[in-house]
Amino acid sequence: MTESNKPSLEVCLSPALLHLFDVKNSIVVIIDVLRATSTICTALYNGAAKVIPVATVEECVNIGRAIDGITAGERDGKVAEGLVHGNSPFEYPREFIENKTLVLTTTNGTKLLHMAKDAIQIITGSFPNISAVCDYLIAQNQNVILGCAAWKDRVNMEDTLFAGAVVNRIREHFDVNCDSAIAAETLYESAKTDIHQFMKQASHYKRLAKYGLEKDITYCLTPDGANILPIFKDGALVGV
Amino acid sequence: MTESNKPSLEVCLSPALLHLFDVKNSIVVIIDVLRATSTICTALYNGAAKVIPVATVEECVNIGRAIDGITAGERDGKVAEGLVHGNSPFEYPREFIENKTLVLTTTNGTKLLHMAKDAIQIITGSFPNISAVCDYLIAQNQNVILGCAAWKDRVNMEDTLFAGAVVNRIREHFDVNCDSAIAAETLYESAKTDIHQFMKQASHYKRLAKYGLEKDITYCLTPDGANILPIFKDGALVGV
């Protein structure tokens, strides 16, 4: 708690900066907008029993086999060899994913999640579940770190924008004494009237658009399409 | 060089991210707006022979004694024990600093400078010498990394704003495929109509204002008050 008697709200723009934050005494929100944390909330919203995030394709294959789960993950825009599904949220409608366990390999998001393991609580956020994330954070009255998964540790636009959108919504409940949080919020304020257009400058947009994934991008940037709260418990994300 | 045949322009928001950039093939601009790189250009503009940046107070004392230099540096807003002058640009008018060597200890800026030692060239930038920096970068036609010194590795507002201001001025001459650069420029665009007011939210502003240094802050955020180019050569910054 800070002098204001409100908990702190901070933004960590890259996993390579997480050591600068007091993870142990905070709730950490893992943010990987394109597309891991968008797909995670979508699968859970559509009734998945849980989502197990893993770092490598090998781990994904092994765990998927052991628990009869749906293995998913991409490398260079294609389903990774040995896995069955991709990273798109559209691959996980209710009729497919309900009551199943998704074993998802993502590099950036999973790495950050494991780095944050000592947090009070880990949740995941993206635009499709922004309201669930904000409502939860306000209700907890704990310090919060919005952790951007970034791209190979490089700060990225979409995760920063989502962090800024959350700051914008919940700041009155927190003490915001973090330049990254103020910068992210200002960026979001500049972008919000046409966030899709704004994102066209971003490196990840260019990467995904090359694979024909504009529809994914639009979904991942749109609020509340899958408004559920994924909480990390016993190695898996479950919907609350 | 990139596909566009223009050199790249990137922004590194913290020394803790510098390893992600191709320092060896770039000009690196060290940015420590409050106040190291503002004071450096001011001293050189006012005729200092050179500025030797050092990491510790001890080193500052020893080098100062060896070369009969002006030793300067602060800890917690006061001149550090054993040194003679502080970090304020106003301590270095022409009648005092002309033809002398300033030995300056700063933690964040010096650290980054040493980390960037393999760069094609190292220069320093802040608002007081923004035009000299931009003119130089355009003329070189080399890849550029705008390196923010930050605050103990945490991203800060003032260095990010300066990086954004440079991107805003020179981007047409470069290939800007870096989300940090686009974010910094957008932030600068939001702040530029009243950058002093905008900075009042920043953590460093609050720290310095506590010490009564608003006048320093205003100077450090104002363009072209000391429009000279500090270039790092043989362990010292000299004015060009």
Side-chain angles (χ1 to χ4, degrees), chain B residues 5 7 49-50 53 72 106 117 154 162 166 190 196:
Chain B
N5 277 327
K50 56 186 171 178
T106 77
K117 64 179 168 31
R154 285 187 72 137
F162 178 74
V166 172
S190 292
H196 302 83

Side-chain angles (χ1 to χ4, degrees), chain A residues 10 154 157 179 190 201 203, chain B residues 10 154 157 179 190 203:
Chain A
E10 300 177 298
R154 284 187 72 138
M157 190 63 83
D179 285 9
S190 293
Q201 313 167 76
S203 51
Chain B
E10 299 176 297
R154 285 187 72 137
M157 190 63 83
D179 285 9
S190 292
S203 51

Side-chain angles (χ1 to χ4, degrees), chain A residues 37-48:
Chain A
T37 59
S38 300
T39 298
I40 288 166
C41 65
T42 303
L44 292 173
Y45 184 77
N46 288 334

Side-chain angles (χ1 to χ4, degrees), chain B residues 218-231:
Chain B
T218 300
Y219 174 82
C220 294
L221 295 174
T222 303
D224 295 342
N227 204 19
I228 196 170
L229 186 75
I231 290 194

